Amino acid sequence: MTKNQHTQSPLDKPWLNSYPSGVPAEIDLSAYRSIVEIFDASFSKYRNQTAFINENTHLSFEELDHLSDGFAAWLQHHGLEKGDRVAVMMPNILQYPIVILGVLKAGMVVVNTNPLYTARELKHQLSDSGARAMVVFEHAAHVLQEVTHDVPIECIITTAVGDMHAWHKRLLFKVLTRYILRQVPAWQLPGSTAFLEVLKTGKSLSRRVEDIEPEDIAFLQYTGGTTGVAKGAMLTHRNLVANTLQSKAWMKPSGIGSETETVITALPLYHIFALTANCLVFICLGGINVLITNPRDMPRFVRTLGQRRFTVITGVNTLYNGLLNTEGFAALDFSELKGALGGGMAVQRAVAEKWKEVTGTTLVEAYGLTETSPAVCINPMDLKDYNGAIGLPLSSTECAIIDDEGGFLPPGESGELVIRGPQVMKGYWQQPEETAKVLSPDGWLRTGDIAVMHQDGYFRIVDRKKDMILVSGFNVYPNELEDVIASHPKVLEVAAIGIPDEHSGEVVKICVVKSDASLTTDELQAWCTEQFTGYKQPRVIEFFDELPKSNVGKILRRELRELNGATD
């Protein structure tokens, strides 16, 4: 992709003709200079309302404002400066919004870190980001302990699951997690400070108000590393302001957009999907975030859903599938549910149709990337039925399909999806060569996804370039296979991969989790023969108890390929 090829887009933005009534073609980026200004507006407007709930403990907008102010002041009074990176390693607990808002108020940069990281993964991220401070959940403190001598961390704050709850509940959590379930491995971090001590001290400190520019980095959001070593996407205040306003504008025609909204936040807030779609957007709207700390405990998750009427839920395909297959979910009250948003991986038709049948609400598919803050395309939130598309580009967003030489392709032809808009990252942290591989001089981001644009402006993802299976010169797309096979009544989950073959280069293998123990290889093979042409049919079927997944529940085809001796 060269500058000359993309200086002038040939697209006439056909998606604008398909926009829901009331969605603007462009958003006003001058409305806020930073994401902190959005927070300040919400704190002023929604002061006495609940912002976050976790385990029935409520955190109001006023409390969030004061506590994050104190946290910011504590950082500033301990030698940290504007632009310093602060790593955050915790699940969905009330401390998370306090910490990230405090870091941003101080003009510093949040480095979101997966609490399930190994010592090797954590060491890379802390070293690469140059983080000077870190807030770590005590369940993961032993991992940090392993690498403290090899990373530039100067200031460590530790927190426990019950820190923001009443003293009796805090004691109960401590006994349960440490002594009964033994979920907290032993750790020692000399010189660290307890989170509650930070809040206590921060109350008496004054916060220095920083002049935050739109192009200042707000988050170093690391990619999953599925294509090599994890890279930090530099997401600026402008990026996040843009994506928050784009998402807010998109939801408004469907009636989602008031302080009466309650969103279920089961995806981890350290992941870009929930960070923006749940945390930032619903702070902007004045809504309530119900934080689910451990969504893998599906029975407990369903009990939590039964405690309150929720209006919005976000998730990935596997999370929705898990809920649908958990006892008690179908009996919940969905009368106030306005929107269910699916992203992070392809939404499968079988899951979407069952979701509609059970809840009466369409599971709306969206598309985004870490590098785009993340939202790029979303289907109308009031979509009548699942349509297999990722939707329409958001306001102020351009999308195009290019061929291998970088030339634009017309509607109906498949090629690589490229994106341009105010939500596109500044680049990869300290990796100009990697940045140049994906980001053109005139702002087009290469996604690595194969897609098609239809005449009406809707986009559909065909598959990832690197996941495509090449059978005797024919392209086979795993998404297509998985979508069809998932509709088999005895299949719970499926992943399709290519494995080496001396005759055809590759053949299709499917990795299946059964929903019915009676399913056999022969039965499934015969069914696939009816569904697919010859070269698409699986030559190998293997049953699994579970499939490898990322921290947000996305099935990791890469790990399955590695198990089968295939390389990227």
Side-chain angles (χ1 to χ4, degrees):
M1 182 168 61
T2 67
K3 183 174 181 179
N4 288 337
Q5 286 169 307
H6 288 295
T7 299
Q8 181 63 47
S9 169
L11 297 175
D12 57 2
K13 299 185 179 180
W15 51 83
L16 295 179
N17 296 323
S18 298
Y19 265 20
S21 177
V23 175
E26 305 289 331
I27 54 165
D28 180 11
L29 275 174
S30 66
Y32 302 95
R33 283 172 52 82
S34 72
I35 198 73
V36 174
E37 288 191 3
I38 289 182
F39 299 153
D40 288 341
S42 291
F43 292 145
S44 175
K45 187 175 182 180
Y46 309 114
R47 203 148 195 83
N48 298 318
Q49 295 172 209
T50 298
F52 289 87
I53 301 174
N54 180 235
E55 298 291 345
N56 291 317
T57 295
H58 293 230
L59 183 68
S60 72
F61 278 90
E62 183 175 27
E63 290 170 320
L64 180 57
D65 188 17
H66 288 324
L67 293 171
S68 58
D69 260 356
F71 189 83
W74 191 93
L75 293 175
Q76 292 173 334
H77 282 261
H78 281 73
L80 276 81
E81 304 288 341
K82 180 186 176 185
D84 281 342
R85 276 77 63 205
V86 179
V88 181
M89 192 177 194
M90 67 177 85
N92 287 2
I93 50 180
L94 294 174
Q95 296 91 303
Y96 181 88
I98 294 169
V99 168
I100 68 158
L101 267 64
V103 173
L104 295 170
K105 283 181 174 185
M108 298 169 194
V109 180
V110 177
V111 182
N112 273 316
T113 307
N114 185 345
L116 299 179
Y117 269 167
T118 64
R120 178 190 62 80
E121 291 166 327
L122 179 60
K123 178 182 175 182
H124 164 71
Q125 190 162 320
L126 295 181
S127 298
D128 187 71
S129 66
R132 290 186 60 198
M134 181 165 189
V135 185
V136 61
F137 187 49
E138 66 172 2
H139 288 57
H142 66 290
V143 181
L144 176 59
Q145 179 184 329
E146 288 187 51
V147 303
T148 48
H149 297 297
D150 302 313
V151 296
I153 297 292
E154 302 167 24
C155 176
I156 297 173
I157 300 166
T158 61
T159 189
V161 65
D163 275 356
M164 296 307 299
H165 300 288
W167 70 267
H168 60 281
K169 187 179 282 190
R170 191 157 64 242
L171 178 61
L172 177 62
F173 276 124
K174 183 175 181 179
V175 171
L176 183 65
T177 59
R178 291 188 185 180
Y179 305 114
I180 297 178
L181 298 178
R182 298 184 183 278
Q183 294 175 334
V184 183
W187 57 272
Q188 285 187 331
L189 292 169
S192 61
T193 306
F195 181 73
L196 290 179
E197 182 61 33
V198 171
L199 295 187
K200 181 180 177 182
T201 305
K203 283 182 182 179
S204 60
L205 301 174
S206 59
R207 172 171 71 93
R208 183 174 65 251
V209 177
E210 298 287 355
D211 181 21
I212 301 173
E213 300 286 341
E215 290 305 314
D216 286 343
I217 302 170
F219 289 84
L220 273 188
Q221 198 71 21
Y222 278 76
T223 64
T226 56
T227 57
V229 177
K231 302 180 287 291
M234 295 185 286
L235 301 182
T236 65
H237 281 267
R238 179 178 184 266
N239 291 151
L240 293 163
V241 166
N243 216 222
T244 299
L245 297 182
Q246 288 168 324
S247 301
K248 181 182 178 182
W250 192 260
M251 290 189 294
K252 190 174 181 180
S254 64
I256 300 172
S258 72
E259 62 266 30
T260 61
E261 308 299 352
T262 297
V263 62
I264 300 299
T265 303
L267 296 181
L269 288 169
Y270 58 79
H271 187 274
I272 190 61
F273 184 1
L275 173 65
T276 300
N278 294 57
C279 185
L280 302 185
V281 169
F282 281 84
I283 286 178
C284 181
L285 295 176
I288 299 171
N289 264 279
V290 178
L291 301 183
I292 308 298
T293 304
N294 180 20
R296 287 182 172 84
D297 185 348
M298 281 286 174
R300 183 179 178 85
F301 185 6
V302 170
R303 288 197 297 273
T304 300
L305 292 177
Q307 292 172 1
R308 63 191 73 255
R309 293 186 178 181
F310 52 96
T311 60
V312 181
I313 184 171
T314 65
V316 294
N317 187 80
T318 49
L319 182 135
Y320 288 117
N321 194 27
L323 286 173
L324 289 167
N325 285 279
T326 299
E327 185 177 354
F329 178 74
L332 295 177
D333 183 355
F334 301 105
S335 61
E336 295 190 21
L337 183 60
K338 300 177 184 177
L341 188 66
M345 64 183 294
V347 171
Q348 293 172 340
R349 182 173 294 276
V351 173
E353 290 177 349
K354 188 174 181 182
W355 180 268
K356 179 68 176 289
E357 178 187 334
V358 170
T359 71
T361 304
T362 302
L363 179 47
V364 174
E365 187 164 6
Y367 172 83
L369 303 164
T370 300
E371 292 87 345
T372 55
S373 306
V376 173
C377 294
I378 308 180
N379 276 289
M381 295 300 294
D382 56 359
L383 190 70
K384 185 177 179 182
D385 292 299
Y386 173 77
N387 59 7
I390 57 171
L392 305 164
L394 292 172
S395 306
S396 300
T397 304
E398 293 177 280
C399 292
I401 307 297
I402 62 171
D403 58 25
D404 290 340
E405 286 71 47
F408 287 98
L409 293 172
E413 291 194 26
S414 64
E416 185 175 0
L417 175 63
V418 293
I419 301 159
R420 186 164 64 177
Q423 71 271 50
V424 174
M425 68 172 182
K426 195 172 188 175
Y428 293 122
W429 174 254
Q430 296 182 335
Q431 296 203 45
E433 288 109 1
E434 291 297 315
T435 300
K437 289 178 183 177
V438 299
L439 201 55
S440 74
D442 54 342
W444 287 98
L445 177 76
R446 299 192 75 142
T447 67
D449 285 318
I450 305 299
V452 174
M453 182 183 76
H454 299 293
Q455 292 285 353
D456 57 5
Y458 278 83
F459 284 76
R460 179 173 58 85
I461 296 294
V462 178
D463 228 305
R464 288 287 299 171
K465 258 187 171 182
K466 63 183 180 58
D467 285 341
M468 189 178 69
I469 305 166
L470 196 62
V471 180
S472 298
F474 292 96
N475 294 343
V476 179
Y477 297 105
N479 277 358
E480 178 196 0
L481 302 182
E482 292 165 2
D483 193 54
V484 173
I485 296 169
S487 68
H488 190 288
K490 295 183 181 180
V491 171
L492 179 64
E493 292 180 341
V494 59
I497 60 172
I499 59 174
D501 180 80
E502 60 179 315
H503 301 295
S504 58
E506 285 185 306
V507 292
V508 175
K509 173 178 178 176
I510 57 172
C511 307
V512 176
V513 177
K514 302 177 184 180
S515 62
D516 185 326
S518 69
L519 180 64
T520 65
T521 300
D522 289 344
E523 179 185 357
L524 189 54
Q525 187 71 66
W527 188 83
C528 287
T529 299
E530 295 177 0
Q531 305 296 320
F532 303 113
T533 189
Y535 67 89
K536 293 181 182 180
Q537 293 172 19
R539 294 294 180 263
V540 181
I541 297 174
E542 183 177 354
F543 294 115
F544 288 71
D545 292 330
E546 60 179 352
L547 298 177
K549 298 184 179 72
S550 71
N551 56 302
V552 295
K554 183 177 181 179
I555 294 172
L556 298 174
R557 294 175 184 150
R558 171 179 55 84
E559 289 195 11
L560 291 168
R561 287 198 298 270
E562 288 172 354
L563 286 172
N564 286 271
T567 57
D568 290 334

